[in-house]
Amino acid sequence: MATKTELSPTARESKNAQDMQVDEVLIPRKVPSLCSARYGIALVLHFCNFTTIAQNVIMNITMVAMVNSTSPQSQFNGSSEGLPVDSFGDLNKAPKSLSAKAPVYDWSPQIQGIIFGAVGYGGILTMAPSGYLAGRVGTKRVVGISLFATSFLTLCIPLAADFGIVFLIVTRIVQGLSQCSVIGGQFAIWEKWGPPHERSRLCSIALSGMLLGCFSAILIGGFISETLGWPFVFYIFGGVGCVCCLLWFIVIYDDPTSYPWISTSEKEYITSSLKQQVRSSQQPLPIKAVLRSLPIWSICLGCFSHQWLVSTMIVYIPTYISSVYHINIRDNGLLSALPFIVAWVIGIVGGYLADFLLTKNFRLITVRKIATILGNLPASALIVSLPYLNSSYITATALLTLSCALSTLCQSGIYINVLDIAPRHSSFLMGASRGFSSMAPVIVPTVSGFLLSQDPEFGWRNVFFLLFAINLSGLIFYLIFGEADVQDWAKERKLTRL
């Protein structure tokens, strides 16, 4: 007869003592951070995210060059719908003096909308499976193959467009599946590479590559279209992705024990700091316990509400500024990119700040909730204030930039909380929570568009107040039920024979 016995300490007080035990291991064998292998892993992930999101955004930039110029209004994109928005896809407009050698297509705004949205169709379905698969076969294989697939398909987009709209849409759908697999599959690597008190900065460094990818694609995509033609935007960013993929397979290893260029002291530091969280590959995911877990649901709902905030910024804020101030923000690449470069800096700084607070004896859950509050409440409040501050375009742009920057602080809060409460199953649960939150970018354009069409005068206020209400509801739910202790169902179990 087999019975299950807990390997963890039986006393309930051990939960509070766990962080103290980790601290005792971390302090004496601290390894210089910036020159270490684990920060090299984070930097490579940074460039992978940079490439993935840039490849997602460039379609928005090149669309004006691809379609007949008789349609002066660029279709406002929802192409970031498939990616959790750490992927802040923006809407930059390509210059009007384009290379005559580039082909031009007669696509209606409806067709353009389908092309934009095609990349997000599979996002909700692939986030969780890619995380689970990465936990089983390794992040190196899942992310590496997915990165190669999206880069290769980026190179094929000009050819697919020549073959016809059906080929292009299918290419975009498969590309979206690959891009979401890169996003969902990468978190499993921190189960074995991320010391608990460094995960905030490591994840922030990795995820901030998305913001830098948006900034770069917005800033130079139009210039490439103007000088070389729009196909070269895909060729250049697809080529960069292939180079990044090669770097990935050379540099990345799934665990520090097999990494050939890691020092002995760093290897001991990482493995000893993760002693309390060693993952048993034979332990199945307790589905029923997960579905009954309020901390898990608080993370999912909190991520969803934050994605609603960021999705509204992506899809509607530039349009709001254009319609209110009669200035097309897409005609100025630098101003369009400004919020994302500021957010890139704040996201990295926020990760270091979160880990700094942990060294000052702040509780882990306190740090996670502080970061989540700062990433939600001020950002949504600033957007709600936009209709009441019609004095100048500069003021509105400053508020938008500040809101976008503050929203990235959630990278050090709710988005990595699963690593705290269920480290053994974090690869699947991180993908599942981000897949759940990916519904927000799909719903936002429909709901907000309905509100704007029903009440042209107060439509913007309704959109922003709905954003604030959803954002605040998710934040409150997380503040009440969010935890940072390893859950009972996530602890290691062992079968013993009686």
Side-chain angles (χ1 to χ4, degrees):
M1 178 179 176
T3 60
K4 290 184 178 179
T5 60
E6 298 284 348
L7 292 182
S8 57
T10 56
R12 296 293 294 178
E13 291 79 3
S14 64
K15 286 186 176 181
N16 298 328
Q18 181 177 351
D19 285 342
M20 295 175 60
Q21 293 173 357
V22 174
D23 288 341
E24 292 173 1
V25 176
L26 288 176
I27 295 174
R29 304 188 69 89
K30 186 79 172 178
V31 175
S33 297
L34 296 180
C35 299
S36 60
R38 61 190 183 279
Y39 280 82
I41 298 290
L43 188 61
V44 174
L45 265 174
H46 178 95
F47 286 115
C48 289
N49 287 326
F50 165 90
T51 302
T52 302
I53 301 306
Q55 292 172 355
N56 176 264
V57 170
I58 54 178
M59 177 62 76
N60 315 337
I61 302 167
T62 59
M63 182 58 74
V64 174
M66 296 172 71
V67 299
N68 198 322
S69 59
T70 56
S71 176
Q73 181 179 0
S74 235
Q75 179 72 24
F76 198 77
N77 71 52
S79 68
S80 54
E81 290 176 0
L83 296 175
V85 191
D86 306 317
S87 56
F88 294 79
D90 187 61
L91 316 156
N92 198 14
K93 190 174 183 179
K96 295 183 179 179
S97 55
L98 299 166
S99 173
K101 297 180 181 180
V104 177
Y105 306 97
D106 187 18
W107 294 334
S108 67
Q110 290 76 17
I111 293 297
Q112 295 176 46
I114 295 174
I115 295 171
F116 283 140
V119 76
Y121 293 159
I124 297 175
L125 300 177
T126 56
M127 285 285 188
S130 63
Y132 175 81
L133 193 60
R136 289 292 179 179
V137 303
T139 303
K140 180 174 184 175
R141 294 179 182 177
V142 173
V143 174
I145 293 173
S146 300
L147 181 62
F148 174 77
T150 181
S151 300
F152 177 76
L153 291 171
T154 300
L155 293 171
C156 293
I157 282 180
L159 183 62
D162 280 339
F163 281 161
I165 188 64
V166 174
F167 285 93
L168 178 59
I169 291 175
V170 171
T171 302
R172 290 279 289 169
I173 291 175
V174 179
Q175 186 184 34
L177 295 174
S178 302
Q179 291 175 351
C180 289
S181 296
V182 173
I183 304 299
Q186 65 181 269
F187 297 101
I189 202 167
W190 301 123
E191 294 178 9
K192 298 178 181 179
W193 273 101
H197 283 189
E198 293 185 26
R199 284 175 179 166
S200 298
R201 73 186 81 171
L202 288 169
C203 289
S204 295
I205 291 172
L207 294 175
S208 62
M210 299 179 183
L211 299 165
L212 188 62
C214 284
F215 172 79
S216 301
I218 293 167
L219 198 60
I220 67 176
F223 175 77
I224 297 174
S225 294
E226 181 182 19
T227 55
L228 301 176
W230 65 262
F232 281 88
V233 180
F234 295 97
Y235 297 150
I236 291 174
F237 281 97
V240 170
C242 291
V243 173
C244 189
C245 183
L246 180 62
L247 177 66
W248 172 270
F249 280 111
I250 293 175
V251 175
I252 296 298
Y253 287 76
D254 288 318
D255 58 77
T257 58
S258 60
Y259 196 77
W261 304 294
I262 190 173
S263 65
T264 303
S265 59
E266 183 182 5
K267 184 187 300 184
E268 292 177 354
Y269 165 66
I270 294 174
T271 54
S272 61
S273 68
L274 296 175
K275 274 184 179 179
Q276 304 296 324
Q277 301 179 353
V278 176
R279 186 179 185 272
S280 173
S281 58
Q282 303 300 321
Q283 183 175 326
L285 177 71
I287 299 294
K288 292 183 179 180
V290 170
L291 293 177
R292 292 194 300 263
S293 174
L294 285 176
I296 289 292
W297 280 109
S298 71
I299 292 173
C300 291
L301 294 175
C303 289
F304 174 85
S305 66
H306 185 258
Q307 287 295 306
W308 192 287
L309 161 69
V310 181
S311 299
T312 303
M313 287 194 293
I314 291 170
V315 180
Y316 283 107
I317 291 300
T319 297
Y320 169 78
I321 293 177
S322 175
S323 63
V324 172
Y325 299 99
H326 308 291
I327 297 175
N328 192 338
I329 194 172
R330 292 168 293 179
D331 286 338
N332 191 319
L334 180 60
L335 283 180
S336 298
L338 179 62
F340 304 103
I341 192 63
V342 176
W344 174 69
V345 174
I346 296 299
I348 295 176
V349 172
Y352 276 87
L353 179 61
D355 287 336
F356 172 77
L357 293 178
L358 291 176
T359 64
K360 298 302 179 182
N361 297 323
F362 279 74
R363 294 179 60 213
L364 183 58
I365 186 58
T366 302
V367 173
R368 296 287 182 252
K369 290 183 176 180
I370 289 175
T372 303
I373 292 172
L374 294 177
N376 279 278
L377 195 56
S380 58
L382 288 171
I383 290 183
V384 169
S385 67
L386 282 176
Y388 302 96
L389 298 173
N390 293 329
S391 56
S392 71
Y393 168 72
I394 295 178
T395 302
T397 304
L399 292 178
L400 172 60
T401 300
L402 184 59
S403 178
C404 184
L406 290 175
S407 68
T408 61
L409 294 176
C410 280
Q411 293 177 357
S412 305
I414 195 170
Y415 283 111
I416 61 172
N417 198 184
V418 170
L419 285 168
D420 306 319
I421 66 174
R424 302 179 195 283
H425 310 293
S426 60
S427 55
F428 173 79
L429 294 176
M430 290 281 276
S433 63
R434 294 181 76 85
F436 184 88
S437 66
S438 295
M439 292 188 294
V442 177
I443 299 173
V444 164
T446 302
V447 175
S448 300
F450 174 79
L451 293 175
L452 292 172
S453 63
Q454 292 297 309
D455 191 347
E457 183 178 358
F458 297 103
W460 287 114
R461 295 184 183 182
N462 295 336
V463 168
F464 296 154
F465 274 117
L466 177 63
L467 175 157
F468 185 79
I470 292 176
N471 191 254
L472 186 61
S473 299
L475 177 61
I476 291 175
F477 193 87
Y478 175 70
L479 293 179
I480 294 175
F481 297 107
E483 295 183 12
D485 296 320
V486 177
Q487 302 297 290
D488 290 337
W489 49 264
K491 293 178 180 177
E492 186 174 3
R493 292 175 174 82
K494 173 181 160 180
L495 290 175
T496 58
R497 300 286 174 182
L498 296 181

